[in-house]
Amino acid sequence: MSKPLISVRGLTKKFDDFTAVDGINFDVAKGESFGLLGPNGAGKSTTMRILSATSTRTSGTVEILDKDPEKFGPLVRAHLGVVPQQDNLDGELTVSENLFIYGRYFGLSKKFINGKIEELLEFAQLEEKRDVKVEALSGGMKRRLTIARGLVSEPDILLLDEPTTGLDPQARHILWDRLFRLKEQGVTLVLTTHFMDEAEQLCDRLVVMDKGAIMAEGSPQGLIKEYSSKEVLEVRFGSDRNKQVAPQLAQMCERMETLPDRLLMYTEDGEKLLERIAAANLHPTTSLVRRSSLEDVFLRLTGRTLIE
Amino acid sequence: MNTGIDVSRIERFGALYIAAARLKSMSKWKVIIAAVDIGNPLFYLIAVGIGIGVLVEKGSGTSGTSGIKYIAFIAPALLASSAIAAVMDETVFPTIEGFKWRKLFFAQNATPITGRQIALGVYLSALCRAISSVSIYYTLLIAFNVVEFGLSALLIPVAVLGGGAFGAIILYAAAKIEKDDQFFNILGRLVIMPMFLFSGTFFPLSSMPIYLQPIGWVSPLWHATELGREAAFDYGLSALMVGVHITYLSTLVILGITLAMSQFERRLAK
């Protein structure tokens, strides 16, 4: 295996008494799509700020393209595209002006940037908005523009912090499609998300983070296989009855999680389990058999759900 | 994937890229900026030239104002104040916006551009705005026959130096104050306003009681006004005092921008 593009060892970041990131390790290989999955406050954004060679770390080592980002900030940043959680576009300028000015920050020639703008407007599906002030764009459009802006310098690594948070389902799917194209082109992607479907869609490999630490690492399918069963049966008996029947149901499956509104039963065969529940004369008001997801992995690892 | 980004070039010109971006943003407000930069001097020239000035000269002639017309006496101070106002506008607001509201500085800092370059770029663009404001003001002074064209053109660099001295310190303060946005309202009312009134603007500093004079001594406005008066008419400032004023203002520029650059860097690296 060739040398990783990003190598993180024992990375720790403290703000006064609060430890935001607590001794994490991971590598990202060239062309890989790597995810940091975890709830809000897990330390994902702090990690991303350090990877983007802007924020300092408290301890540990970080190497990006063989260089310490703290010592060679501008040099490392020249190879990164950064898409922050909050779109920090210049609202007073137009779509194309935003791209142009950003390209200039990389010292790129006017000629190169102008050519690049055409390509990026097409990629972001914003050709018709070229001369529109950014303030007037929808949330999804701003997001796509922020991603396009991050690509103006043809970066080796694109860092995306919560790329689809706050977008409606349609806008999210458009964005996923765009990111998938980048992945196909061989761009190395590092993204954070608290959406398990996003992690499953976009990541080749991911780490599950909680409270500043890494709980598990692997491919989405690998993690599901390791930490969950093949299927999940979700049953609801009504909020009071859920607790009453829980002990009896727990005997019938490999593992069970009791959530406020429903019970999650982990099993290899959901339909068969449901039949056994009926045979025991327990009748849930609703039931659903689904395959295990990263949400279940997170629940298993932390005892909590991703979105609380 | 190789665009051959030349980082050493960005190291040299990064601050200019930031300044160019700021000027681009300012250009979106050009109508309003022009209205302020032309309207403000016009109001003063009319009100003071026709109104207050006539009243002052009726009372004591020009004996208290070095033997020149009242409007000409206060013109260098008005010019320096307009430079200060312009630099304030273009440092305080963009800095709060850059760190807090739109977080533009974080976007800029995600490129090879450094925090130090962002600070310097914002400062340079503010100076450009001051040069433009003051030049318009000076042109109007000539048009209204308040000063004669000639050596008085030195009023422009002097006023910009005064605005730049104040602006450098304010740029640092704007980057330093992270929580209290109200600070700048208070600054306007309790620092800028008294500075405007007590810096020898409307009457010589020496006509104030001695215990009020230190306001003038520390105020960049007073130093710039004194220098400006020397440039505009025969004010009789000693060479020593010219040196003192220039040194004081230059020191503030260097001190302020040095502090601001490291504060920008520190705050962005959190």
Side-chain angles (χ1 to χ4, degrees):
Chain A
M1 197 178 135
S2 62
K3 217 165 178 275
L5 288 192
I6 300 175
S7 180
V8 172
R9 293 288 173 274
L11 174 62
T12 300
K13 172 84 177 186
K14 291 182 182 169
F15 296 100
D16 298 324
D17 293 340
F18 174 68
T19 304
V21 178
D22 195 1
I24 61 172
N25 307 298
F26 62 83
D27 288 330
V28 180
K30 190 172 163 53
E32 192 176 25
S33 178
F34 180 80
L36 299 150
L37 175 73
N40 291 328
K44 307 185 302 288
S45 294
T46 306
T47 306
M48 283 300 250
R49 295 250 309 124
I50 293 167
L51 292 184
S52 67
T54 45
S55 180
T56 53
R57 57 185 185 267
T58 310
S59 62
T61 61
V62 177
E63 280 198 356
I64 300 172
L65 302 158
D66 285 333
K67 287 189 181 61
D68 180 344
E70 216 167 296
K71 288 199 188 106
F72 299 95
L75 206 57
V76 170
R77 294 199 296 271
H79 296 276
L80 303 179
V82 177
V83 181
Q85 190 168 351
Q86 187 188 350
D87 293 318
N88 48 19
L89 298 158
D90 193 331
E92 283 168 7
L93 303 183
T94 66
V95 168
S96 60
E97 285 170 341
N98 262 278
L99 293 173
F100 184 83
I101 278 187
Y102 213 68
R104 293 295 285 163
Y105 295 152
F106 287 89
L108 299 169
S109 73
K110 289 174 187 173
K111 194 177 155 214
F112 176 86
I113 302 171
N114 283 326
K116 196 77 198 164
I117 285 175
E118 300 310 313
E119 193 186 317
L120 290 172
L121 288 176
E122 193 197 332
F123 166 80
Q125 296 165 302
L126 290 169
E127 292 107 317
E128 281 160 27
K129 302 286 179 186
R130 142 198 323 263
D131 297 319
V132 173
K133 262 194 185 185
V134 163
E135 273 167 0
L137 299 183
S138 72
M141 289 175 184
K142 279 184 189 159
R143 209 74 196 123
R144 297 205 298 274
L145 177 58
T146 308
I147 293 173
R149 187 184 67 175
L151 293 169
V152 73
S153 56
E154 298 187 346
D156 294 308
I157 305 169
L158 186 65
L159 303 169
L160 302 127
D161 195 3
E162 300 274 354
T164 65
T165 297
L167 299 185
D168 60 58
Q170 196 198 350
R172 290 180 76 199
H173 280 281
I174 296 175
L175 209 67
W176 284 350
D177 168 61
R178 298 294 108 178
L179 294 176
F180 206 80
R181 273 166 207 238
L182 290 178
K183 194 164 125 55
E184 283 176 334
Q185 288 165 22
V187 179
T188 306
L189 300 179
V190 179
L191 62 109
T192 75
T193 182
H194 64 267
F195 296 117
M196 47 114 187
D197 50 350
E198 186 157 285
E200 285 191 54
Q201 288 260 352
L202 295 175
C203 300
D204 302 324
R205 198 164 58 85
L206 55 94
V207 291
V208 179
M209 280 187 82
D210 190 39
K211 293 177 182 155
I214 290 177
M215 314 295 291
E217 180 181 342
S219 68
Q221 286 317 310
L223 284 167
I224 291 167
K225 210 170 174 183
E226 189 175 348
Y227 293 98
S228 194
S229 56
K230 196 172 150 210
E231 292 191 337
V232 187
L233 172 63
E234 294 196 8
V235 286
R236 286 184 164 86
F237 289 87
S239 32
D240 296 333
R241 280 260 298 154
N242 278 350
K243 265 191 190 145
Q244 288 173 19
V245 298
Q248 194 181 345
L249 291 176
Q251 310 286 327
M252 301 166 80
C253 58
E254 294 164 31
R255 197 169 63 81
M256 193 176 77
E257 294 284 351
T258 311
L259 299 181
D261 62 331
R262 62 195 194 276
L263 302 166
L264 304 183
M265 305 178 72
Y266 293 92
T267 177
E268 287 306 299
D269 189 337
E271 289 298 338
K272 210 176 244 171
L273 178 60
L274 193 58
E275 280 167 25
R276 280 166 57 209
I277 292 172
N281 223 9
L282 292 167
H283 300 287
T285 50
T286 65
S287 63
L288 165 77
V289 176
R290 59 168 176 83
R291 65 184 185 89
S292 270
S293 71
L294 287 170
E295 180 79 47
D296 299 298
V297 173
F298 189 76
L299 192 62
R300 168 79 187 274
L301 289 168
T302 67
R304 292 180 296 117
T305 52
L306 275 167
I307 303 163
E308 290 179 316
Chain B
M1 289 235 165
N2 191 358
T3 38
I5 295 166
D6 182 356
V7 176
S8 67
R9 191 184 157 80
I10 306 169
E11 269 165 17
R12 269 176 287 144
F13 299 114
L16 297 181
Y17 298 152
I18 296 293
R22 280 293 313 140
L23 292 175
K24 180 103 198 159
S25 290
M26 278 182 219
S27 74
K28 303 274 164 173
W29 298 91
K30 57 180 177 268
V31 176
I32 293 169
I33 289 176
V36 170
D37 286 355
I38 296 169
N40 198 32
L42 274 183
F43 298 146
Y44 267 107
L45 291 174
I46 293 168
V48 178
I50 300 171
I52 302 164
V54 173
L55 200 68
V56 171
E57 283 151 26
K58 252 186 202 159
S60 57
T62 55
S63 60
T65 54
S66 308
I68 54 155
K69 284 174 77 178
Y70 186 64
I71 182 69
F73 178 75
I74 70 163
L78 294 178
L79 213 59
S81 325
S82 87
I84 288 175
V87 174
M88 275 279 288
D89 272 359
E90 304 303 344
T91 50
V92 172
F93 181 69
T95 301
I96 299 177
E97 180 184 57
F99 280 116
K100 274 179 99 165
W101 298 335
R102 285 203 182 115
K103 300 192 181 287
L104 296 179
F105 291 164
F106 292 91
Q108 292 165 343
N109 191 220
T111 73
I113 301 274
T114 65
R116 305 178 69 82
Q117 290 173 322
I118 298 173
L120 189 57
V122 169
Y123 185 66
L124 290 176
S125 67
L127 290 185
C128 289
R129 164 82 199 282
I131 291 169
S132 146
S133 296
V134 169
S135 301
I136 292 171
Y137 214 133
Y138 179 72
T139 309
L140 289 167
L141 290 180
I142 301 289
F144 277 68
N145 211 16
V146 176
V147 295
E148 269 177 51
F149 183 72
L151 200 62
S152 69
L154 283 172
L155 277 169
I156 296 174
V158 163
V160 172
L161 178 62
F166 191 73
I169 301 293
I170 287 300
L171 183 67
Y172 167 64
K176 183 80 184 166
I177 309 281
E178 297 191 18
K179 292 194 179 114
D180 194 3
D181 291 350
Q182 286 307 310
F183 172 79
F184 292 98
N185 284 331
I186 295 165
L187 181 81
R189 293 186 172 91
L190 294 180
V191 177
I192 311 281
M193 194 63 190
M195 182 175 88
F196 185 52
L197 293 173
F198 298 115
S199 293
T201 319
F202 297 102
F203 41 85
L205 199 63
S206 54
S207 64
M208 283 202 306
I210 187 74
Y211 58 86
L212 280 180
Q213 292 188 20
I215 298 178
W217 301 340
V218 296
S219 156
L221 178 57
W222 178 67
H223 295 275
T225 300
E226 290 288 290
L227 280 175
R229 282 179 184 145
E230 184 59 27
F233 49 85
D234 190 15
Y235 187 51
L237 209 58
S238 69
L240 174 70
M241 282 315 286
V242 170
V244 167
H245 293 311
I246 292 176
T247 307
Y248 180 76
L249 293 173
S250 310
T251 307
L252 284 190
V253 169
I254 292 164
L255 181 72
I257 196 66
T258 307
L259 288 171
M261 283 167 78
S262 40
Q263 179 58 24
F264 268 60
E265 189 177 43
R266 213 173 308 136
R267 188 163 169 187
L268 285 166
K270 270 189 186 165

